[in-house]
Amino acid sequence: MQNHAIIIGAGIAGLSTAIALREAGWSVSVYERSEAPTSGGTALGMWPEAMRALDSIGLGDVVRRHSALSRGATILDPSGKPLGRVPATRSAYLISRERLMLALLDAVPSECIHWSHGWKSTDFYPESDLVVGADGIHSAIRLRIWGASVERPLRTVAFRGVVDQGVESVTETWGRGALFGITPTGDGRTNWFACVRRGSLLQGDADDTETLYRLFSDWHPQVRSVLGQIKLPDIDRRALSDVSLPHSYARGNTVLVGDAAHAMAPNLGRGASESLIDAVTLARALSSGGTIRDGLRRYDRARRSRTRRVVAMARTLNGIATAERGSHIRDRLLRLTLRP
Protein backbone atom coordinates (compact mmCIF):
# COMPACT_ATOMS: atom_id res chain seq x y z
CA MET A 1 0.00 0.00 0.00
CA GLN A 2 1.35 3.42 -0.97
CA ASN A 3 2.28 5.76 1.87
CA HIS A 4 0.56 9.14 1.90
CA ALA A 5 1.95 12.47 3.14
CA ILE A 6 0.11 15.68 3.84
CA ILE A 7 2.31 18.74 3.34
CA ILE A 8 1.28 22.07 4.85
CA GLY A 9 2.66 24.92 2.75
CA ALA A 10 3.31 25.28 -0.99
CA GLY A 11 6.48 27.31 -0.85
CA ILE A 12 9.95 26.12 -1.80
CA ALA A 13 10.20 23.70 1.15
CA GLY A 14 6.72 22.24 0.67
CA LEU A 15 6.89 21.80 -3.10
CA SER A 16 10.39 20.33 -3.11
CA THR A 17 9.35 17.90 -0.37
CA ALA A 18 6.33 16.89 -2.45
CA ILE A 19 8.55 16.21 -5.46
CA ALA A 20 11.14 14.26 -3.45
CA LEU A 21 8.52 12.12 -1.71
CA ARG A 22 6.75 11.37 -4.99
CA GLU A 23 10.11 10.31 -6.46
CA ALA A 24 10.42 7.95 -3.46
CA GLY A 25 7.03 6.37 -4.20
CA TRP A 26 4.76 8.35 -1.87
CA SER A 27 1.47 10.00 -2.70
CA VAL A 28 1.19 13.58 -1.48
CA SER A 29 -1.41 16.26 -0.81
CA VAL A 30 -0.17 19.82 -0.44
CA TYR A 31 -2.33 22.36 1.41
CA GLU A 32 -1.68 26.08 1.00
CA ARG A 33 -3.64 28.94 2.55
CA SER A 34 -2.91 31.34 -0.34
CA GLU A 35 -5.31 31.43 -3.27
CA ALA A 36 -2.54 30.94 -5.83
CA PRO A 37 1.25 30.81 -6.08
CA THR A 38 2.89 34.02 -4.94
CA SER A 39 4.73 35.94 -7.64
CA GLY A 40 7.78 38.13 -7.28
CA GLY A 41 10.56 37.69 -4.81
CA THR A 42 14.25 38.31 -5.10
CA ALA A 43 17.23 36.21 -6.17
CA LEU A 44 18.03 33.03 -4.26
CA GLY A 45 21.44 31.44 -3.97
CA MET A 46 21.64 27.79 -4.98
CA TRP A 47 24.83 26.50 -3.38
CA PRO A 48 26.51 23.26 -4.55
CA GLU A 49 24.64 21.10 -2.01
CA ALA A 50 21.34 22.58 -3.17
CA MET A 51 22.25 21.96 -6.81
CA ARG A 52 22.90 18.31 -5.96
CA ALA A 53 19.48 18.18 -4.31
CA LEU A 54 17.88 19.76 -7.38
CA ASP A 55 19.68 17.28 -9.65
CA SER A 56 18.31 14.39 -7.58
CA ILE A 57 14.72 15.54 -8.21
CA GLY A 58 15.32 16.32 -11.88
CA LEU A 59 15.38 20.12 -11.71
CA GLY A 60 19.09 20.94 -11.70
CA ASP A 61 19.35 21.64 -15.44
CA VAL A 62 16.23 23.83 -15.40
CA VAL A 63 17.71 25.95 -12.63
CA ARG A 64 21.06 26.23 -14.41
CA ARG A 65 19.35 27.46 -17.59
CA HIS A 66 17.53 30.25 -15.77
CA SER A 67 20.19 31.41 -13.34
CA ALA A 68 23.46 33.31 -13.20
CA LEU A 69 26.56 31.59 -11.87
CA SER A 70 28.18 33.79 -9.27
CA ARG A 71 31.77 33.16 -8.24
CA GLY A 72 32.72 34.99 -5.07
CA ALA A 73 31.66 38.46 -4.00
CA THR A 74 33.14 41.81 -3.04
CA ILE A 75 32.46 43.65 0.21
CA LEU A 76 32.69 47.44 -0.14
CA ASP A 77 32.57 50.39 2.20
CA PRO A 78 30.01 53.18 1.55
CA SER A 79 32.49 55.09 -0.62
CA GLY A 80 32.86 52.06 -2.90
CA LYS A 81 36.32 51.07 -1.69
CA PRO A 82 36.79 47.27 -1.35
CA LEU A 83 36.99 45.90 2.17
CA GLY A 84 37.48 42.30 1.10
CA ARG A 85 36.72 39.70 -1.51
CA VAL A 86 35.01 36.38 -0.90
CA PRO A 87 37.01 33.78 -2.90
CA ALA A 88 35.72 32.63 -6.27
CA THR A 89 35.68 29.07 -4.92
CA ARG A 90 32.49 30.09 -3.10
CA SER A 91 30.16 29.85 -6.10
CA ALA A 92 26.38 29.68 -6.34
CA TYR A 93 23.71 29.81 -9.01
CA LEU A 94 21.48 32.86 -8.52
CA ILE A 95 17.88 32.41 -9.61
CA SER A 96 14.80 34.50 -9.04
CA ARG A 97 12.33 33.07 -6.55
CA GLU A 98 9.58 33.34 -9.15
CA ARG A 99 11.52 31.23 -11.65
CA LEU A 100 12.39 28.59 -9.03
CA MET A 101 8.76 28.39 -7.93
CA LEU A 102 7.63 27.88 -11.54
CA ALA A 103 10.07 24.99 -11.90
CA LEU A 104 8.83 23.38 -8.67
CA LEU A 105 5.17 23.88 -9.54
CA ASP A 106 5.68 22.31 -12.98
CA ALA A 107 6.98 19.18 -11.26
CA VAL A 108 3.97 18.70 -8.95
CA PRO A 109 0.66 17.56 -10.51
CA SER A 110 -1.92 20.30 -10.04
CA GLU A 111 -4.40 17.88 -8.45
CA CYS A 112 -1.95 17.37 -5.56
CA ILE A 113 -2.08 21.03 -4.50
CA HIS A 114 -5.07 22.44 -2.62
CA TRP A 115 -5.08 26.25 -2.67
CA SER A 116 -7.02 28.48 -0.26
CA HIS A 117 -6.78 25.86 2.44
CA GLY A 118 -6.31 27.69 5.72
CA TRP A 119 -5.14 24.82 7.91
CA LYS A 120 -6.29 25.21 11.51
CA SER A 121 -6.90 21.73 12.87
CA THR A 122 -5.59 18.18 12.97
CA ASP A 123 -8.76 16.72 11.46
CA PHE A 124 -6.95 15.02 8.61
CA TYR A 125 -4.15 13.44 10.65
CA PRO A 126 -5.77 9.98 10.63
CA GLU A 127 -5.86 10.07 6.83
CA SER A 128 -2.09 10.30 6.39
CA ASP A 129 1.05 8.41 7.27
CA LEU A 130 3.07 11.61 7.53
CA VAL A 131 2.39 15.32 8.12
CA VAL A 132 5.05 17.75 6.92
CA GLY A 133 5.09 21.26 8.36
CA ALA A 134 6.45 23.45 5.56
CA ASP A 135 4.46 26.51 6.57
CA GLY A 136 7.25 28.98 7.17
CA ILE A 137 8.72 30.94 10.03
CA HIS A 138 5.34 31.48 11.74
CA SER A 139 4.49 27.78 11.41
CA ALA A 140 1.08 26.81 12.78
CA ILE A 141 2.18 23.16 12.70
CA ARG A 142 5.20 23.91 14.88
CA LEU A 143 3.12 25.87 17.35
CA ARG A 144 0.41 23.18 17.45
CA ILE A 145 2.68 20.16 17.89
CA TRP A 146 5.71 21.62 19.66
CA GLY A 147 3.60 24.04 21.68
CA ALA A 148 5.91 27.04 22.00
CA SER A 149 7.10 29.98 19.96
CA VAL A 150 10.80 29.74 19.15
CA GLU A 151 11.05 32.81 16.92
CA ARG A 152 13.88 35.13 17.96
CA PRO A 153 13.92 38.76 16.79
CA LEU A 154 17.18 39.92 15.22
CA ARG A 155 16.55 43.62 15.87
CA THR A 156 17.15 44.36 12.20
CA VAL A 157 14.80 45.24 9.35
CA ALA A 158 15.28 44.07 5.76
CA PHE A 159 14.17 45.74 2.53
CA ARG A 160 14.47 43.91 -0.78
CA GLY A 161 13.35 43.96 -4.38
CA VAL A 162 14.33 43.73 -8.05
CA VAL A 163 15.06 46.49 -10.57
CA ASP A 164 15.23 46.32 -14.37
CA GLN A 165 18.92 46.67 -14.97
CA GLY A 166 21.65 44.11 -15.40
CA VAL A 167 24.62 43.56 -13.11
CA GLU A 168 27.52 41.15 -13.52
CA SER A 169 28.88 40.65 -10.03
CA VAL A 170 27.81 40.31 -6.41
CA THR A 171 28.59 43.12 -4.00
CA GLU A 172 27.66 43.93 -0.43
CA THR A 173 28.32 47.35 0.98
CA TRP A 174 28.75 47.51 4.74
CA GLY A 175 28.33 50.78 6.59
CA ARG A 176 27.67 51.72 10.17
CA GLY A 177 24.46 49.95 11.20
CA ALA A 178 23.44 49.13 7.62
CA LEU A 179 24.29 47.10 4.54
CA PHE A 180 23.21 47.20 0.89
CA GLY A 181 23.58 44.17 -1.39
CA ILE A 182 23.38 43.89 -5.18
CA THR A 183 23.33 40.63 -7.18
CA PRO A 184 22.28 39.37 -10.63
CA THR A 185 19.05 37.37 -10.81
CA GLY A 186 19.64 35.18 -13.85
CA ASP A 187 17.00 36.91 -15.97
CA GLY A 188 18.86 40.11 -16.79
CA ARG A 189 17.64 42.06 -13.79
CA THR A 190 19.22 43.11 -10.51
CA ASN A 191 18.31 41.84 -7.08
CA TRP A 192 18.91 44.33 -4.28
CA PHE A 193 18.58 44.03 -0.52
CA ALA A 194 19.20 46.32 2.41
CA CYS A 195 19.37 45.59 6.10
CA VAL A 196 19.42 48.15 8.88
CA ARG A 197 19.29 48.24 12.64
CA ARG A 198 15.76 48.74 13.89
CA GLY A 199 16.87 51.88 15.72
CA SER A 200 17.88 53.48 12.40
CA LEU A 201 14.23 53.81 11.40
CA LEU A 202 12.40 56.97 12.35
CA GLN A 203 8.94 57.00 13.90
CA GLY A 204 7.52 58.73 10.83
CA ASP A 205 9.16 56.45 8.26
CA ALA A 206 6.07 55.41 6.31
CA ASP A 207 7.40 55.65 2.74
CA ASP A 208 10.03 52.95 2.21
CA THR A 209 11.59 54.70 -0.78
CA GLU A 210 12.16 57.82 1.32
CA THR A 211 13.61 55.69 4.10
CA LEU A 212 16.05 54.03 1.70
CA TYR A 213 17.09 57.39 0.26
CA ARG A 214 17.65 58.81 3.71
CA LEU A 215 19.83 55.86 4.68
CA PHE A 216 21.76 55.19 1.48
CA SER A 217 21.68 58.19 -0.90
CA ASP A 218 25.21 59.27 0.05
CA TRP A 219 26.69 55.81 -0.62
CA HIS A 220 28.70 54.97 -3.74
CA PRO A 221 27.33 55.30 -7.32
CA GLN A 222 26.31 51.65 -7.77
CA VAL A 223 24.01 51.86 -4.74
CA ARG A 224 22.63 55.22 -5.88
CA SER A 225 21.95 53.82 -9.36
CA VAL A 226 19.81 51.03 -7.91
CA LEU A 227 18.07 53.44 -5.53
CA GLY A 228 17.01 55.56 -8.49
CA GLN A 229 15.03 52.68 -9.99
CA ILE A 230 13.27 51.37 -6.87
CA LYS A 231 9.50 51.81 -6.87
CA LEU A 232 7.45 51.72 -3.66
CA PRO A 233 5.05 48.87 -4.57
CA ASP A 234 8.00 46.60 -5.38
CA ILE A 235 9.65 46.84 -1.96
CA ASP A 236 9.38 43.93 0.46
CA ARG A 237 9.99 45.12 4.01
CA ARG A 238 10.08 42.90 7.08
CA ALA A 239 11.45 42.80 10.58
CA LEU A 240 13.87 39.90 10.75
CA SER A 241 13.65 36.93 13.09
CA ASP A 242 15.10 33.45 13.10
CA VAL A 243 14.14 30.06 14.50
CA SER A 244 16.40 27.73 16.45
CA LEU A 245 14.34 24.76 17.55
CA PRO A 246 16.18 22.97 20.39
CA HIS A 247 14.11 19.81 20.11
CA SER A 248 13.79 17.17 17.41
CA TYR A 249 12.42 18.31 14.04
CA ALA A 250 10.11 15.27 14.19
CA ARG A 251 7.43 14.32 16.69
CA GLY A 252 5.12 11.36 16.17
CA ASN A 253 4.26 11.30 12.47
CA THR A 254 4.87 15.05 12.05
CA VAL A 255 8.09 16.62 10.76
CA LEU A 256 9.26 20.17 10.05
CA VAL A 257 11.16 21.33 6.96
CA GLY A 258 12.45 24.67 5.74
CA ASP A 259 11.77 27.88 7.65
CA ALA A 260 9.32 26.11 9.94
CA ALA A 261 12.30 24.23 11.37
CA HIS A 262 15.17 26.67 10.94
CA ALA A 263 14.32 30.11 9.56
CA MET A 264 17.52 32.13 9.41
CA ALA A 265 18.84 35.61 8.78
CA PRO A 266 19.37 36.18 5.03
CA ASN A 267 23.04 37.15 5.33
CA LEU A 268 24.48 33.79 4.27
CA GLY A 269 21.97 33.39 1.44
CA ARG A 270 21.30 29.78 2.45
CA GLY A 271 17.61 29.68 3.42
CA ALA A 272 16.26 28.28 0.14
CA SER A 273 19.21 25.92 -0.25
CA GLU A 274 18.70 24.40 3.18
CA SER A 275 14.99 23.88 2.41
CA LEU A 276 15.83 21.93 -0.75
CA ILE A 277 18.38 19.83 1.13
CA ASP A 278 15.74 19.12 3.82
CA ALA A 279 13.34 17.80 1.20
CA VAL A 280 15.76 15.36 -0.39
CA THR A 281 17.22 14.27 2.96
CA LEU A 282 13.74 13.53 4.31
CA ALA A 283 12.76 11.43 1.29
CA ARG A 284 16.00 9.45 1.47
CA ALA A 285 15.70 8.92 5.23
CA LEU A 286 12.18 7.55 4.80
CA SER A 287 13.39 5.20 2.06
CA SER A 288 16.23 3.71 4.09
CA GLY A 289 14.24 0.95 5.79
CA GLY A 290 12.42 0.50 9.06
CA THR A 291 9.32 2.39 10.12
CA ILE A 292 8.33 5.93 9.21
CA ARG A 293 9.38 7.07 12.66
CA ASP A 294 12.78 5.44 12.14
CA GLY A 295 13.09 7.49 8.97
CA LEU A 296 12.10 10.69 10.76
CA ARG A 297 14.76 10.06 13.40
CA ARG A 298 17.35 9.63 10.64
CA TYR A 299 16.22 12.90 9.05
CA ASP A 300 16.47 14.72 12.38
CA ARG A 301 19.97 13.40 13.02
CA ALA A 302 21.08 14.45 9.54
CA ARG A 303 19.61 17.94 9.56
CA ARG A 304 19.06 19.42 13.02
CA SER A 305 22.62 20.02 14.22
CA ARG A 306 23.70 21.17 10.75
CA THR A 307 20.91 23.70 10.30
CA ARG A 308 21.21 24.99 13.86
CA ARG A 309 24.85 25.85 13.09
CA VAL A 310 23.85 27.67 9.91
CA VAL A 311 21.16 29.62 11.81
CA ALA A 312 23.76 30.64 14.41
CA MET A 313 26.29 31.67 11.75
CA ALA A 314 23.69 33.72 9.86
CA ARG A 315 22.61 35.44 13.07
CA THR A 316 26.21 36.32 13.91
CA LEU A 317 26.90 37.66 10.42
CA ASN A 318 23.71 39.75 10.54
CA GLY A 319 25.04 41.40 13.70
CA ILE A 320 28.54 41.95 12.32
CA ALA A 321 27.41 43.34 8.94
CA THR A 322 25.07 45.88 10.57
CA ALA A 323 27.26 46.71 13.57
CA GLU A 324 26.84 50.25 14.89
CA ARG A 325 29.76 50.17 17.27
CA GLY A 326 33.26 49.16 16.28
CA SER A 327 32.51 49.15 12.55
CA HIS A 328 35.97 50.66 11.86
CA ILE A 329 37.58 47.70 13.64
CA ARG A 330 35.36 45.31 11.68
CA ASP A 331 36.42 46.93 8.41
CA ARG A 332 40.09 46.68 9.32
CA LEU A 333 39.72 42.98 10.12
CA LEU A 334 37.92 42.39 6.83
CA ARG A 335 40.81 43.93 4.92
CA LEU A 336 43.25 41.68 6.78
CA THR A 337 41.30 38.43 6.41
CA LEU A 338 39.58 38.76 3.02
CA ARG A 339 42.25 40.91 1.33
CA PRO A 340 40.64 43.36 -1.13
Side-chain angles (χ1 to χ4, degrees):
M1 182 175 173
Q2 188 178 37
N3 286 318
H4 180 247
I6 284 174
I7 300 170
I8 310 302
I12 292 168
L15 293 174
S16 57
T17 299
I19 298 166
L21 287 177
R22 279 173 51 80
E23 290 278 329
W26 287 62
S27 66
V28 300
S29 299
V30 182
Y31 292 87
E32 168 58 48
R33 65 182 178 181
S34 301
E35 296 179 359
T38 56
S39 60
T42 56
L44 303 171
M46 299 289 103
W47 297 93
E49 309 96 315
M51 292 306 303
R52 288 194 289 272
L54 286 163
D55 283 334
S56 74
I57 58 174
L59 296 180
D61 289 341
V62 174
V63 168
R64 290 182 184 92
R65 282 199 302 272
H66 296 287
S67 60
L69 179 60
S70 168
R71 298 186 183 275
T74 304
I75 301 175
L76 308 171
D77 70 13
S79 72
K81 185 181 300 183
L83 293 171
R85 289 191 171 89
V86 179
T89 52
R90 297 289 295 154
S91 63
Y93 285 90
L94 300 175
I95 186 168
S96 70
R97 184 183 184 279
E98 184 173 10
R99 179 65 70 174
L100 179 60
M101 284 292 292
L102 285 173
L104 294 170
L105 285 164
D106 282 347
V108 181
S110 58
E111 63 268 20
C112 292
I113 306 177
H114 306 273
W115 302 100
S116 300
H117 191 286
W119 183 85
K120 293 181 180 178
S121 72
T122 56
D123 291 346
F124 48 55
Y125 269 49
E127 302 172 14
S128 64
D129 301 293
L130 175 68
V131 176
V132 180
D135 50 342
I137 186 171
H138 306 302
S139 172
I141 290 281
R142 187 184 67 230
L143 184 60
R144 172 71 66 121
I145 305 300
W146 277 257
S149 174
V150 288
E151 296 171 35
R152 307 180 303 176
L154 286 159
R155 299 184 179 86
T156 49
V157 177
F159 302 80
R160 60 186 181 178
V162 177
V163 295
D164 291 325
Q165 70 173 34
V167 67
E168 297 295 325
S169 59
V170 175
T171 63
E172 277 194 18
T173 304
W174 291 11
R176 184 176 179 272
L179 70 83
F180 198 99
I182 298 171
T183 78
T185 64
D187 55 5
R189 297 186 295 169
T190 294
N191 167 62
W192 65 269
F193 53 93
C195 188
V196 301
R197 287 281 164 184
R198 195 168 54 194
S200 301
L201 303 178
L202 302 177
Q203 192 70 30
D205 274 348
D207 186 318
D208 289 339
T209 54
E210 291 180 5
T211 299
L212 291 168
Y213 269 93
R214 177 175 63 78
L215 294 169
F216 298 106
S217 61
D218 60 347
W219 286 26
H220 59 82
Q222 192 179 14
V223 171
R224 294 201 301 271
S225 174
V226 171
L227 282 177
Q229 299 183 63
I230 295 173
K231 298 178 178 62
L232 183 59
D234 301 326
I235 300 173
D236 177 272
R237 169 179 172 165
R238 63 188 64 200
L240 294 178
S241 299
D242 65 12
V243 167
S244 185
L245 189 65
H247 312 297
S248 172
Y249 288 175
R251 183 168 291 182
N253 71 329
T254 303
V255 65
L256 300 175
V257 297
D259 284 354
H262 47 68
M264 59 191 68
N267 299 74
L268 290 175
R270 292 204 63 96
S273 285
E274 297 299 334
S275 294
L276 290 162
I277 298 166
D278 283 352
V280 171
T281 303
L282 176 61
R284 287 175 178 166
L286 291 167
S287 301
S288 297
T291 67
I292 289 173
R293 294 194 183 191
D294 291 336
L296 295 183
R297 281 191 288 270
R298 283 191 289 268
Y299 164 77
D300 182 68
R301 285 195 300 269
R303 295 301 291 151
R304 179 157 48 108
S305 60
R306 153 75 186 182
T307 51
R308 278 173 57 84
R309 286 196 301 272
V310 179
V311 169
M313 290 166 59
R315 187 181 186 90
T316 299
L317 186 56
N318 182 265
I320 292 171
T322 60
E324 294 179 301
R325 296 180 180 178
S327 57
H328 60 292
I329 299 173
R330 173 201 67 192
D331 294 352
R332 194 176 306 153
L333 288 172
L334 279 173
R335 290 191 177 97
L336 289 172
T337 55
L338 293 181
R339 298 194 178 278

